[in-house]
Amino acid sequence: MQRYFIPEPYNGEERVVLHGEQFHHIVRVLRMKQGDSFYIVYKSGEAAIAEIQEISNEELAAAIVEWEHSYKELPIDVTIVSGLPKGDKLELIVQKGTELGAKQFVPFIADRSIVKWDEKKGTKKVERWNKIALEAAEQSHRNVVPTVEAPIKVKLLLEMSKHYDYKLAAFEESAKQGETSAFAAILREIQPGQSVMIAFGPEGGLSEKEAAMFKENGFILCGLGPRILRTETAPLYALSAISYQFELLR
């Protein structure tokens, strides 16, 4: 059943009115009619099955007929920080990372980022990344749509990191030296309800300078196993490990 996110919190009413893109998709694309049902998810996280009651030229009204009682979010809030990569790699990270439960994505302009970010032209890219997150959240039946921020500089990223309970940075040199315990140890230590920020470099990884800056600001440098992972693979590995630790083992 199709899932649609409502941009407002639940207001206590048992009726919802949809228009714009959602109306177009339901009526024009899926050709739903009166009596058909779909899922709605409010900004506050509540999800329910709604049944179409009325359809006009520009909007439809649906009644809530059953609330969804299962919650699909990871027990911890995970922010994925990615050194700005080439091409459409960030789109892949956002799409698959959303399916795996990430709460937020923060690209940053890294020393080894080949792409030059143009803030004036970048607005449409950020809008596209957020649309990808929305569609992935709908597809994977999430209760929350992750946010994707515009790329920021390292200084601002380090300031942002102060608000997290745990901070990790995947560092290629740590992996090459055989470091295997830090990531697993942190996963055993984090408690449900806490937050973690995990930083990954672009192609070529984090520079020594960046790794030192992260470490000075409370990040734990860690490897992700004996193999060197691509910039678009490493965040998905980390999210999968977190899901296994907090959802499958409990």
Side-chain angles (χ1 to χ4, degrees):
M1 198 181 298
Q2 186 67 35
R3 202 170 182 88
Y4 298 96
F5 284 86
I6 309 299
E8 297 90 22
Y10 178 57
N11 59 9
E13 294 186 8
E14 298 298 302
R15 186 173 182 269
V16 62
V17 176
L18 299 182
H19 42 77
E21 287 188 13
Q22 293 177 331
F23 167 82
H24 175 79
H25 191 262
I26 291 170
V27 177
R28 309 293 184 220
V29 178
L30 298 182
R31 298 188 181 279
M32 288 189 186
K33 300 177 181 179
Q34 186 176 350
D36 289 340
S37 300
F38 53 85
Y39 278 105
I40 56 170
V41 185
Y42 289 93
K43 188 176 182 180
S44 42
E46 300 95 337
I49 296 174
E51 183 179 291
I52 299 174
Q53 292 182 318
E54 302 172 26
I55 299 176
S56 67
N57 290 331
E58 296 183 354
E59 63 181 30
L60 65 84
I64 294 174
V65 295
E66 183 182 347
W67 287 98
E68 184 181 55
H69 299 293
S70 59
Y71 194 67
K72 313 293 176 60
E73 298 306 305
L74 283 173
I76 63 173
D77 291 343
V78 183
T79 291
I80 297 296
V81 173
S82 295
L84 195 61
K86 295 186 297 182
D88 58 0
K89 292 178 182 179
L90 191 61
E91 294 184 5
L92 177 66
I93 293 169
V94 169
Q95 183 188 60
K96 302 307 178 187
T98 297
E99 292 178 29
L100 289 166
K103 183 75 174 290
Q104 183 182 32
F105 299 91
V106 182
F108 76 100
I109 302 164
D111 288 344
R112 293 173 178 167
S113 289
I114 298 171
V115 177
K116 301 301 179 185
W117 181 253
D118 187 332
E119 291 187 8
K120 293 182 180 179
K121 297 179 180 179
T123 303
K124 287 186 176 180
K125 274 195 172 183
V126 176
E127 289 176 354
R128 174 166 171 74
W129 294 337
N130 278 282
K131 186 175 181 181
I132 288 171
L134 171 62
E135 292 173 348
E138 290 174 343
Q139 181 274 321
S140 57
H141 278 218
R142 294 268 312 256
N143 291 77
V144 174
V145 181
T147 55
V148 189
E149 307 297 336
I152 58 177
K153 295 181 179 179
V154 175
K155 185 177 180 180
L156 183 56
L157 172 62
L158 295 176
E159 187 66 28
M160 182 187 295
S161 74
K162 294 178 181 178
H163 303 288
Y164 288 80
D165 297 309
Y166 293 88
K167 297 174 285 188
L168 297 167
F171 188 42
E172 187 173 307
E173 293 306 313
S174 295
K176 286 180 179 178
Q177 293 166 15
E179 192 287 311
T180 59
S181 62
F183 182 52
I186 290 297
L187 292 192
R188 288 192 296 269
E189 188 175 320
I190 300 176
Q191 296 299 310
Q194 292 187 307
S195 60
V196 59
M197 172 181 277
I198 312 178
F200 304 87
E203 297 86 354
L206 298 173
S207 67
E208 293 281 353
K209 177 184 174 183
E210 287 169 333
M213 289 176 65
F214 278 123
K215 191 172 183 180
E216 289 170 7
N217 285 271
F219 282 75
I220 297 172
L221 303 183
C222 63
L224 297 177
R227 292 165 294 281
I228 302 303
L229 305 178
R230 290 178 181 269
T231 185
E232 66 271 30
T233 307
L236 308 184
Y237 173 94
L239 284 164
S240 298
I242 290 170
S243 174
Y244 179 78
Q245 178 74 24
F246 286 91
E247 296 177 317
L248 297 189
L249 287 183
R250 299 188 179 187

